[in-house]
Amino acid sequence: MNFGKQIKIENLDLFYGNFHALKGINLGINENEITAFIGPSGCGKSTLLKSINRMNDMVEGCRITGKIMVGGCDILDRRVDVNSLRKNVGMVFQKPNPFPMSIYDNIAYGPRTHGMKKKAELDEIVEKSLRNAAIWDELKDDLKKSALALSGGQQQRLCIARALAVQPEILLMDEPTSALDPISTSKIEDCVLELKKKYTIVIVTHNMQQAVRISDRTVFFLLGEIVEVGRTEQVFSRPKMKRTEDYITGRFG
């Protein structure tokens, strides 16, 4: 199933038991752009991000109403194959989580799961994915080395490469640089800017400067609601809502 690159969220409400975590979310996410989700901790950013590839299915007591359209498909329809969805909508987490196996096998894992067996094809996917994650030159001579021996920044770029290996259309990133040093952060930001030529990217970040540096559009969340959406330059330089201005300027409290 080909889902496509565009995301449209309509009248979305999400509950964890009796807690109303997301309230009346309506949002369009453009293809081949980077959309940043900003806002204080616990405001719903990561909850919405994880809903876009149905990771909240794993949370007991989670209930969602409304629609999340990826391409022309409502992914909340229980007839949607979640494995196919997650092949199309890749996810990179806050903390690098390489598998305890070689660099090569980390990247080849997804394609093998989806039935790719030929070594030549796997070799090509591994190289292409590592190149797209801007780490091929660093790792090409160490593909048999354990991924766990890499630095934190290298592990995170490896995890990006692993997500790309199954050829998604959309890449979701949940604070992918929060645990990294400034040099590693810069490398990943450069990588993400390059990747938007091929992918739709949604990134959750607490780093205002990062949102300004890399995103095309910014969505500000507060208490489970979207307060403001706009081009990043407009949101940060001419916010329409006082709550947005207070958060950006640090007066929020």
Side-chain angles (χ1 to χ4, degrees):
M1 182 181 285
N2 182 23
F3 290 89
K5 293 184 181 182
Q6 213 161 20
I7 304 167
K8 188 175 182 184
I9 300 164
E10 300 175 357
N11 302 318
L12 187 80
D13 285 87
L14 184 145
F15 299 83
Y16 293 127
N18 293 323
F19 176 63
H20 198 173
L22 291 173
K23 305 167 186 174
I25 302 296
N26 288 282
L27 179 65
I29 295 173
N30 299 332
E31 61 184 85
N32 296 105
E33 286 191 350
I34 300 169
T35 299
F37 289 178
I38 66 168
S41 296
C43 65
K45 308 181 301 292
S46 293
T47 296
L48 182 59
L49 191 80
K50 290 172 184 174
S51 298
I52 298 172
N53 75 345
R54 297 231 336 231
M55 287 201 66
N56 283 311
D57 284 15
M58 305 174 194
V59 180
E60 189 175 346
C62 180
R63 180 169 60 87
I64 306 179
T65 61
K67 291 183 178 181
I68 301 178
M69 307 297 293
V70 177
C73 179
D74 179 10
I75 65 163
L76 298 181
D77 187 321
R78 292 296 158 177
R79 292 170 294 184
V80 168
D81 180 65
V82 175
N83 289 327
S84 296
L85 172 66
R86 291 181 185 151
K87 183 177 185 294
N88 190 85
V89 184
M91 185 100 183
V92 177
F93 297 92
Q94 181 174 359
K95 187 178 178 186
N97 59 340
F99 301 143
M101 54 182 70
S102 72
I103 291 164
Y104 183 100
D105 287 337
N106 263 268
I107 307 302
Y109 183 89
R112 282 173 174 151
T113 301
H114 292 286
M116 188 178 288
K117 304 294 183 190
K118 293 180 181 176
K119 186 176 184 304
E121 291 179 351
L122 288 169
D123 288 350
E124 184 179 339
I125 286 276
V126 168
E127 179 174 346
K128 181 180 177 183
S129 301
L130 290 169
R131 283 190 185 280
N132 285 339
I135 198 169
W136 169 253
D137 289 339
E138 293 173 49
L139 301 184
K140 62 184 178 183
D141 297 323
D142 295 309
L143 297 180
K144 294 182 180 178
K145 181 178 176 181
S146 169
L148 301 180
L150 300 175
S151 70
Q154 287 177 320
Q155 286 187 5
Q156 191 64 302
R157 281 183 287 153
L158 178 74
C159 291
I160 293 172
R162 189 177 68 199
L164 299 179
V166 294
Q167 301 175 311
E169 303 266 16
I170 295 165
L171 192 59
L172 309 176
M173 311 184 87
D174 193 2
E175 296 194 64
T177 63
S178 64
L180 304 180
D181 62 86
I183 292 173
S184 296
T185 294
S186 178
K187 286 181 178 178
I188 286 178
E189 287 180 0
D190 289 345
C191 167
V192 171
L193 284 166
E194 191 64 26
L195 288 173
K196 80 168 182 177
K197 296 173 185 176
K198 301 176 184 175
Y199 307 93
T200 298
I201 298 173
V202 186
I203 182 168
V204 168
T205 181
H206 275 104
N207 185 326
M208 300 292 146
Q209 290 75 28
Q210 181 171 76
V212 171
R213 284 192 298 264
I214 69 171
S215 69
D216 299 288
R217 297 174 82 234
T218 293
V219 186
F220 173 51
F221 289 79
L222 189 61
L223 299 174
E225 297 179 308
I226 291 177
V227 173
E228 185 159 351
V229 183
R231 305 303 294 179
T232 295
E233 182 184 358
Q234 173 262 307
V235 171
F236 279 89
S237 63
R238 302 180 305 282
K240 296 175 182 175
M241 306 298 291
K242 187 174 187 305
R243 287 178 296 174
T244 311
E245 182 180 355
D246 287 348
Y247 182 71
I248 289 168
T249 57
R251 294 196 299 267
F252 182 85

